[in-house]
Amino acid sequence: MQWAARQHFHHRSALMQAWGSVMLLIACALWVWLGFLLADQDGMYCYVGRSSVCEVESDVPKGLTVLGISAPLSVLGAGLLVAGSVRRQTSAHVFEVIEMQKSEERSRKNREK
């Protein structure tokens, strides 16, 4: 029964890590897109006529939306990835401690005989 519970715990930890990685990849793609939006500053155009009027077409609302989506995804993805990794390492550590305790008990029983 202990092995099945450990496998289930390990599986859930791996799922946390996978979801965290996916969220971080999506956030990275959004950050790259934001970089391209900020680098593309060809939005200025001028009307030539009686008076020369220049206007700037801005992608600021789109950039803020991308930033607003990518920042929480980055935080949540990093949190899930770290939490899954810590769960896996803690589980492995606890399992090793249990094995060492069982080994000590066996060696004590052998000495008492």
Side-chain angles (χ1 to χ4, degrees):
M1 184 65 180
Q2 179 185 6
W3 181 253
R6 184 171 184 264
Q7 288 292 81
H8 180 70
F9 189 80
H10 180 74
H11 177 71
R12 291 199 53 198
S13 299
L15 279 176
M16 286 176 71
Q17 284 182 313
W19 275 106
S21 298
V22 167
M23 286 184 182
L24 283 174
L25 285 174
I26 292 170
C28 285
L30 289 172
W31 281 97
V32 168
W33 186 26
L34 179 64
F36 282 123
L37 286 176
L38 292 175
D40 182 29
Q41 295 296 329
D42 296 333
M44 180 180 275
Y45 57 92
C46 296
Y47 295 113
V48 179
R50 292 184 190 158
S51 64
S52 177
V53 177
C54 292
E55 294 182 13
V56 177
E57 188 177 288
S58 176
D59 284 334
V60 171
K62 188 187 291 186
L64 287 176
T65 302
V66 171
L67 180 64
I69 293 170
S70 66
L73 274 177
S74 299
V75 171
L76 188 60
L80 282 173
L81 185 65
V82 168
S85 298
V86 168
R87 282 174 54 119
R88 283 178 111 174
Q89 290 175 359
T90 303
S91 171
H93 176 73
V94 167
F95 188 68
E96 287 179 18
V97 168
I98 290 171
E99 288 297 317
M100 286 191 298
Q101 288 174 346
K102 287 180 181 178
S103 176
E104 276 184 24
E105 288 176 11
R106 282 191 297 257
S107 66
R108 276 191 213 139
K109 287 181 182 177
N110 287 340
R111 280 189 236 148
E112 290 175 359
K113 288 183 182 181

